[in-house]
Amino acid sequence: MARPESLPAGRRRWLRQGAVLLAAGGLADLHAQAPVAMVRVPALSPQVRMLRNGLQVVLLPDEPIAGRAGSGTAALQVWYRVGGKDDPPGRSGFAHLFEHMMFKRTRHLADEAFDRLTEDVGGQNNAFTTEDATVYLNTVPANHVERLLWAEAERMAQLLVTEPQFLSERAVVASEFRQRVLVDPYGRLFNAMAPALWRVHPYRNPVIGRVEDLNAATLDDVQRFHATYYRPDNATLIVAGDIDPSRVHAWVDRYFGALASPDTPVPRVSLREPRRDRGQVVTLPAPQVPAPALALLWLAPEAAHPDAAPLRVAGALLGQGESSRLSVGLVEQDRLAQSAGFGVDLHADAGMLSAWAIASGPSVVGSDARHDPRLPQLEAALMRTVHRLAHGRIPIGELDKVRTQLLTEALVARQTAEGRALAVGWSIVRRQDAGAADVELAQLQAIRAEDVQRVLRTHVLAAPAVALRYVQGPPAAVSGGLA
């Protein structure tokens, strides 16, 4: 490991400040309402402008350090505001499918050309799809930024969607579905959470899609999808790292400025999920369930809501790591579960909270599987743990540890150009504000015990839950349907 004096000044400052917060986390004997020791995090300070065609451009140049050469690397990302929620009716998985299609041939690029443009010069590229966005990532030596800008503009405007490419990538996605959902013994459970909770909002469609929907798709469907969403006014271009902003702006104008946006507006999801007035029990049988499992699901607010930060802290207290309350209580002490966790998934429009546990011991086989007595025991134990956190004492050491973990994760990510670009990209997609990434860290550090308890009482204890029971079914139960 490098000695502190050998690190850049900005990184040394962050590590020293983080150490102060880590030390504060050891004062477990103090009351949880003691003053919060705030760490001053250097601002990302994104430079934002909008091209005439609607493309949002964000630059995050490295802060120069006197007497030191720059990092020599840069991250270039394109965030398209199209995700699983935008999949056409009966065509779930289209946004994810197009993540794969965008690496195929364009008018001037061969298949998989982005591997050659990045990996062959010591860089890398990747992509991912979420409920709200599809994101394309490139990290390269800084002197290759212009070439990547040209290539991203090329595949935005000149992608060639052909029948052989479509069929090939559809097969790849189907194979990915089998591996992630069907082969994994608990893949069906986590894939079924969104459909079990959401009744109206298209967040109910799993991002990876359904094989039957993808099999029903046509080449015309795919070409129409690209024309609808892959356009300058539906994208954010982020360039971070060892860059000269004036030169990057000139390159962006050269390669993206002439691209036209259609006259028709980008379709936007306007549906809002209605509040639930009662709970629900849903049973999901599957052919390969080593042990039964239970998930409790609640509707949650959107990522920009003031309760987002305390919900993240509450979720970490309940389910992050082996020392979390659910792991200690259900796994180590009561031995009711072999694993347990708590998810906080906050999207641009709304969110989902999930408490889950996988029971100890093998599954019951046959008609009694649905009535396994361990399932209500798991539900009671999950709720009991949440209730204790919402109404009992939260030691300052426990709270500080979790705040420190979350803050450290963010600071470590910001050590790279890619991490800084991702932080700003999430802020734009989920909060419609490029500067919100810095605000989020300040909000996170300010969370106190009463904030955690208030959001748990409001969004969990006082809200109806969907109980999703995952049990062993007959071998023919392979569709993942809900009963």
Side-chain angles (χ1 to χ4, degrees):
M1 176 181 291
R3 293 179 300 170
E5 59 268 23
S6 70
L7 297 172
R11 187 175 179 187
R12 292 202 306 270
R13 181 170 64 250
W14 283 359
L15 291 177
R16 285 197 301 268
Q17 292 168 333
V20 171
L21 189 61
L22 282 168
L27 303 178
D29 56 331
L30 295 181
H31 192 270
Q33 304 313 309
V36 177
M38 299 289 286
V39 174
R40 188 183 66 83
V41 178
L44 291 174
S45 303
Q47 303 174 13
V48 184
R49 74 178 177 118
M50 192 79 71
L51 300 191
R52 296 178 66 178
N53 58 15
L55 177 70
Q56 185 180 37
V57 180
V58 181
L59 301 190
L60 292 160
D62 288 346
E63 181 180 350
I65 301 175
R68 291 183 181 271
S71 66
T73 62
L76 190 155
Q77 301 175 3
V78 183
W79 292 65
Y80 290 93
R81 289 181 286 278
V82 54
K85 70 179 182 184
D86 302 295
D87 290 340
R91 295 292 183 268
S92 66
F94 250 48
H96 177 236
L97 172 64
F98 235 92
E99 173 199 321
H100 290 254
M101 296 296 299
M102 285 287 279
F103 288 92
K104 308 309 289 183
R105 184 178 300 275
T106 74
R107 183 178 179 185
H108 298 107
L109 288 172
D111 290 347
E112 318 302 337
F114 272 77
D115 290 345
R116 308 284 67 78
L117 293 172
T118 56
E119 295 173 6
D120 289 2
V121 297
Q124 60 184 358
N125 73 91
N126 210 333
F128 62 86
T129 307
T130 72
E131 287 78 3
D132 297 307
T134 306
V135 186
Y136 300 88
L137 317 170
N138 306 278
T139 301
V140 291
N143 60 321
H144 287 268
V145 166
E146 181 181 10
R147 186 177 301 176
L148 263 296
L149 286 169
W150 169 81
E152 286 291 3
E154 167 75 7
R155 70 173 168 182
M156 178 185 289
Q158 303 286 350
L159 186 70
L160 300 178
V161 183
T162 65
E163 187 78 24
Q165 292 170 337
F166 164 56
L167 295 177
S168 170
E169 293 312 304
R170 187 174 68 178
V172 171
V173 172
S175 176
E176 186 177 336
F177 179 87
R178 286 191 293 271
Q179 292 181 11
R180 288 172 50 185
V181 178
L182 301 184
V183 175
D184 185 328
Y186 296 93
R188 289 179 174 85
L189 170 65
F190 291 99
N191 195 59
M193 287 182 179
L197 177 66
W198 305 98
R199 293 173 293 175
V200 173
H201 197 283
Y203 283 151
R204 73 185 317 274
N205 296 318
V207 173
I208 196 170
R210 299 179 179 89
V211 172
E212 58 268 27
D213 287 349
L214 293 173
N215 287 340
T218 66
L219 179 62
D220 182 63
D221 293 332
V222 177
Q223 292 172 333
R224 189 183 310 113
F225 190 84
H226 180 266
T228 301
Y229 292 104
Y230 279 77
R231 43 195 276 183
D233 58 344
N234 197 43
T236 296
L237 170 67
I238 304 177
V239 187
D242 190 6
I243 58 174
D244 178 343
S246 61
R247 296 182 69 186
V248 173
H249 280 305
W251 293 334
V252 169
D253 289 340
R254 180 183 306 168
Y255 301 118
F256 286 91
L259 302 185
S261 291
D263 295 332
T264 56
V266 180
R268 297 297 182 204
V269 173
S270 59
L271 292 171
R272 291 295 178 263
E273 184 71 14
R275 293 176 60 89
R276 284 183 172 270
D277 54 9
R278 62 175 62 89
Q280 183 182 4
V281 176
V282 178
T283 300
L284 174 61
Q288 183 180 311
V289 181
L294 176 88
L296 298 176
L297 312 171
W298 298 269
L299 293 172
E302 68 278 7
H305 194 279
D307 287 348
L311 281 171
R312 286 184 61 201
V313 174
L317 285 166
L318 286 166
Q320 182 166 308
E322 294 182 358
S323 63
S324 65
R325 293 203 174 196
L326 286 174
S327 184
V328 170
L330 275 68
V331 179
E332 295 183 15
Q333 295 179 352
D334 297 340
R335 299 188 181 276
L336 291 171
Q338 55 184 285
S339 61
F342 195 95
V344 180
D345 300 302
L346 307 183
H347 311 307
D349 298 342
M352 175 176 70
L353 306 177
S354 57
W356 57 270
I358 300 174
S360 299
S363 288
V364 173
V365 179
S367 59
D368 292 336
R370 293 171 179 261
H371 308 291
D372 191 321
R374 289 172 293 177
L375 294 172
Q377 290 174 1
L378 287 177
E379 180 172 352
L382 288 169
M383 292 304 301
R384 184 166 58 247
T385 305
V386 174
H387 189 276
R388 285 173 178 168
L389 183 61
H391 291 280
R393 178 176 175 272
I394 305 178
I396 184 62
E398 183 183 17
L399 183 62
D400 270 347
K401 180 191 71 174
V402 164
R403 285 190 306 223
T404 300
Q405 288 173 338
L406 296 174
L407 180 61
T408 301
E409 289 172 2
L411 294 181
V412 169
R414 291 188 182 199
Q415 296 300 308
T416 66
E418 180 180 66
R420 293 189 289 277
L422 283 168
V424 172
W426 285 124
S427 296
I428 292 171
V429 166
R430 292 175 173 169
R431 304 185 69 161
Q432 295 76 53
D433 180 4
D438 293 321
V439 176
E440 288 176 1
L441 293 189
Q443 292 173 337
L444 183 65
Q445 295 185 73
I447 299 305
R448 306 176 75 130
E450 61 262 31
D451 301 318
V452 171
Q453 294 180 322
R454 176 184 57 79
V455 296
L456 285 176
R457 293 170 185 170
T458 300
H459 300 291
V460 177
L461 297 183
V466 173
L468 177 58
R469 297 181 171 186
Y470 188 63
V471 300
Q472 176 68 40
V478 297
S479 66
L482 302 177

mmCIF file of all heavy atoms in Angstrom, residues 383-401:
data_model
loop_
_atom_site.group_PDB
_atom_site.id
_atom_site.type_symbol
_atom_site.label_atom_id
_atom_site.label_comp_id
_atom_site.label_asym_id
_atom_site.label_seq_id
_atom_site.Cartn_x
_atom_site.Cartn_y
_atom_site.Cartn_z
ATOM 1 N N MET A 383 -40.155 -8.673 11.038
ATOM 2 C CA MET A 383 -40.891 -7.522 11.551
ATOM 3 C C MET A 383 -40.435 -7.158 12.973
ATOM 4 O O MET A 383 -40.380 -5.977 13.338
ATOM 5 C CB MET A 383 -42.392 -7.799 11.534
ATOM 6 C CG MET A 383 -42.983 -7.891 10.137
ATOM 7 S SD MET A 383 -42.671 -6.413 9.131
ATOM 8 C CE MET A 383 -43.437 -5.133 10.138
ATOM 9 N N ARG A 384 -40.119 -8.153 13.773
ATOM 10 C CA ARG A 384 -39.656 -7.902 15.134
ATOM 11 C C ARG A 384 -38.332 -7.118 15.116
ATOM 12 O O ARG A 384 -38.133 -6.189 15.905
ATOM 13 C CB ARG A 384 -39.489 -9.227 15.863
ATOM 14 C CG ARG A 384 -39.107 -9.091 17.328
ATOM 15 C CD ARG A 384 -39.288 -10.421 18.057
ATOM 16 N NE ARG A 384 -38.507 -11.505 17.467
ATOM 17 C CZ ARG A 384 -39.048 -12.544 16.852
ATOM 18 N NH1 ARG A 384 -40.355 -12.659 16.724
ATOM 19 N NH2 ARG A 384 -38.267 -13.498 16.356
ATOM 20 N N THR A 385 -37.453 -7.464 14.190
ATOM 21 C CA THR A 385 -36.170 -6.768 14.089
ATOM 22 C C THR A 385 -36.368 -5.328 13.642
ATOM 23 O O THR A 385 -35.725 -4.410 14.161
ATOM 24 C CB THR A 385 -35.250 -7.516 13.112
ATOM 25 O OG1 THR A 385 -35.127 -8.878 13.521
ATOM 26 C CG2 THR A 385 -33.874 -6.877 13.073
ATOM 27 N N VAL A 386 -37.238 -5.121 12.671
ATOM 28 C CA VAL A 386 -37.525 -3.754 12.219
ATOM 29 C C VAL A 386 -38.148 -2.949 13.350
ATOM 30 O O VAL A 386 -37.791 -1.783 13.574
ATOM 31 C CB VAL A 386 -38.452 -3.787 10.988
ATOM 32 C CG1 VAL A 386 -38.880 -2.371 10.610
ATOM 33 C CG2 VAL A 386 -37.764 -4.461 9.808
ATOM 34 N N HIS A 387 -39.078 -3.556 14.080
ATOM 35 C CA HIS A 387 -39.760 -2.851 15.172
ATOM 36 C C HIS A 387 -38.754 -2.442 16.244
ATOM 37 O O HIS A 387 -38.828 -1.314 16.782
ATOM 38 C CB HIS A 387 -40.846 -3.752 15.764
ATOM 39 C CG HIS A 387 -41.743 -3.047 16.730
ATOM 40 N ND1 HIS A 387 -41.426 -2.881 18.068
ATOM 41 C CD2 HIS A 387 -42.957 -2.445 16.559
ATOM 42 C CE1 HIS A 387 -42.385 -2.221 18.669
ATOM 43 N NE2 HIS A 387 -43.335 -1.954 17.776
ATOM 44 N N ARG A 388 -37.808 -3.304 16.566
ATOM 45 C CA ARG A 388 -36.817 -2.967 17.592
ATOM 46 C C ARG A 388 -35.950 -1.799 17.157
ATOM 47 O O ARG A 388 -35.606 -0.932 17.964
ATOM 48 C CB ARG A 388 -35.951 -4.187 17.877
ATOM 49 C CG ARG A 388 -36.646 -5.268 18.703
ATOM 50 C CD ARG A 388 -35.782 -6.512 18.809
ATOM 51 N NE ARG A 388 -36.425 -7.541 19.629
ATOM 52 C CZ ARG A 388 -35.995 -8.799 19.701
ATOM 53 N NH1 ARG A 388 -34.939 -9.185 18.982
ATOM 54 N NH2 ARG A 388 -36.626 -9.668 20.462
ATOM 55 N N LEU A 389 -35.580 -1.771 15.883
ATOM 56 C CA LEU A 389 -34.783 -0.642 15.394
ATOM 57 C C LEU A 389 -35.597 0.645 15.389
ATOM 58 O O LEU A 389 -35.084 1.718 15.704
ATOM 59 C CB LEU A 389 -34.258 -0.937 13.991
ATOM 60 C CG LEU A 389 -33.352 0.133 13.370
ATOM 61 C CD1 LEU A 389 -32.095 0.339 14.211
ATOM 62 C CD2 LEU A 389 -32.986 -0.237 11.938
ATOM 63 N N ALA A 390 -36.884 0.531 15.049
ATOM 64 C CA ALA A 390 -37.735 1.723 14.952
ATOM 65 C C ALA A 390 -38.121 2.288 16.304
ATOM 66 O O ALA A 390 -38.460 3.480 16.409
ATOM 67 C CB ALA A 390 -38.997 1.392 14.152
ATOM 68 N N HIS A 391 -38.087 1.478 17.351
ATOM 69 C CA HIS A 391 -38.565 1.946 18.658
ATOM 70 C C HIS A 391 -37.529 1.830 19.780
ATOM 71 O O HIS A 391 -37.720 2.407 20.848
ATOM 72 C CB HIS A 391 -39.816 1.154 19.068
ATOM 73 C CG HIS A 391 -41.012 1.456 18.224
ATOM 74 N ND1 HIS A 391 -41.795 2.577 18.398
ATOM 75 C CD2 HIS A 391 -41.561 0.764 17.176
ATOM 76 C CE1 HIS A 391 -42.779 2.568 17.512
ATOM 77 N NE2 HIS A 391 -42.669 1.493 16.758
ATOM 78 N N GLY A 392 -36.473 1.087 19.558
ATOM 79 C CA GLY A 392 -35.485 0.893 20.619
ATOM 80 C C GLY A 392 -34.327 1.867 20.516
ATOM 81 O O GLY A 392 -34.317 2.799 19.699
ATOM 82 N N ARG A 393 -33.319 1.628 21.332
ATOM 83 C CA ARG A 393 -32.140 2.492 21.360
ATOM 84 C C ARG A 393 -31.193 2.113 20.223
ATOM 85 O O ARG A 393 -30.971 0.937 19.952
ATOM 86 C CB ARG A 393 -31.426 2.344 22.705
ATOM 87 C CG ARG A 393 -30.144 3.164 22.834
ATOM 88 C CD ARG A 393 -29.556 3.035 24.232
ATOM 89 N NE ARG A 393 -28.284 3.722 24.335
ATOM 90 C CZ ARG A 393 -27.109 3.175 24.051
ATOM 91 N NH1 ARG A 393 -27.065 1.905 23.668
ATOM 92 N NH2 ARG A 393 -25.985 3.872 24.158
ATOM 93 N N ILE A 394 -30.624 3.108 19.568
ATOM 94 C CA ILE A 394 -29.617 2.906 18.535
ATOM 95 C C ILE A 394 -28.301 3.465 19.072
ATOM 96 O O ILE A 394 -28.133 4.675 19.163
ATOM 97 C CB ILE A 394 -29.991 3.601 17.214
ATOM 98 C CG1 ILE A 394 -31.373 3.144 16.726
ATOM 99 C CG2 ILE A 394 -28.934 3.320 16.150
ATOM 100 C CD1 ILE A 394 -31.837 3.831 15.459
ATOM 101 N N PRO A 395 -27.366 2.614 19.466
ATOM 102 C CA PRO A 395 -26.089 3.113 19.995
ATOM 103 C C PRO A 395 -25.361 3.979 18.977
ATOM 104 O O PRO A 395 -25.415 3.714 17.765
ATOM 105 C CB PRO A 395 -25.305 1.832 20.296
ATOM 106 C CG PRO A 395 -26.348 0.766 20.426
ATOM 107 C CD PRO A 395 -27.437 1.142 19.479
ATOM 108 N N ILE A 396 -24.667 5.005 19.459
ATOM 109 C CA ILE A 396 -23.964 5.908 18.560
ATOM 110 C C ILE A 396 -22.903 5.170 17.751
ATOM 111 O O ILE A 396 -22.660 5.475 16.583
ATOM 112 C CB ILE A 396 -23.340 7.079 19.352
ATOM 113 C CG1 ILE A 396 -22.678 8.082 18.401
ATOM 114 C CG2 ILE A 396 -22.349 6.579 20.386
ATOM 115 C CD1 ILE A 396 -23.627 8.734 17.438
ATOM 116 N N GLY A 397 -22.257 4.150 18.351
ATOM 117 C CA GLY A 397 -21.243 3.403 17.614
ATOM 118 C C GLY A 397 -21.822 2.666 16.430
ATOM 119 O O GLY A 397 -21.213 2.604 15.360
ATOM 120 N N GLU A 398 -22.998 2.088 16.603
ATOM 121 C CA GLU A 398 -23.650 1.368 15.512
ATOM 122 C C GLU A 398 -24.046 2.319 14.395
ATOM 123 O O GLU A 398 -23.835 2.036 13.203
ATOM 124 C CB GLU A 398 -24.879 0.626 16.049
ATOM 125 C CG GLU A 398 -25.599 -0.212 15.009
ATOM 126 C CD GLU A 398 -26.853 -0.875 15.559
ATOM 127 O OE1 GLU A 398 -27.341 -0.447 16.634
ATOM 128 O OE2 GLU A 398 -27.348 -1.812 14.920
ATOM 129 N N LEU A 399 -24.605 3.455 14.760
ATOM 130 C CA LEU A 399 -25.024 4.427 13.758
ATOM 131 C C LEU A 399 -23.823 5.012 13.023
ATOM 132 O O LEU A 399 -23.824 5.138 11.789
ATOM 133 C CB LEU A 399 -25.837 5.545 14.426
ATOM 134 C CG LEU A 399 -26.428 6.614 13.513
ATOM 135 C CD1 LEU A 399 -27.412 5.996 12.533
ATOM 136 C CD2 LEU A 399 -27.109 7.698 14.338
ATOM 137 N N ASP A 400 -22.775 5.366 13.765
ATOM 138 C CA ASP A 400 -21.592 5.941 13.135
ATOM 139 C C ASP A 400 -20.900 4.938 12.221
ATOM 140 O O ASP A 400 -20.357 5.296 11.179
ATOM 141 C CB ASP A 400 -20.610 6.432 14.201
ATOM 142 C CG ASP A 400 -20.855 7.883 14.599
ATOM 143 O OD1 ASP A 400 -21.613 8.557 13.882
ATOM 144 O OD2 ASP A 400 -20.293 8.328 15.605
ATOM 145 N N LYS A 401 -20.902 3.664 12.615
ATOM 146 C CA LYS A 401 -20.282 2.646 11.773
ATOM 147 C C LYS A 401 -20.954 2.585 10.411
ATOM 148 O O LYS A 401 -20.274 2.546 9.369
ATOM 149 C CB LYS A 401 -20.364 1.285 12.455
ATOM 150 C CG LYS A 401 -19.729 0.157 11.649
ATOM 151 C CD LYS A 401 -20.052 -1.208 12.225
ATOM 152 C CE LYS A 401 -21.503 -1.571 12.009
ATOM 153 N NZ LYS A 401 -21.810 -2.956 12.445
#
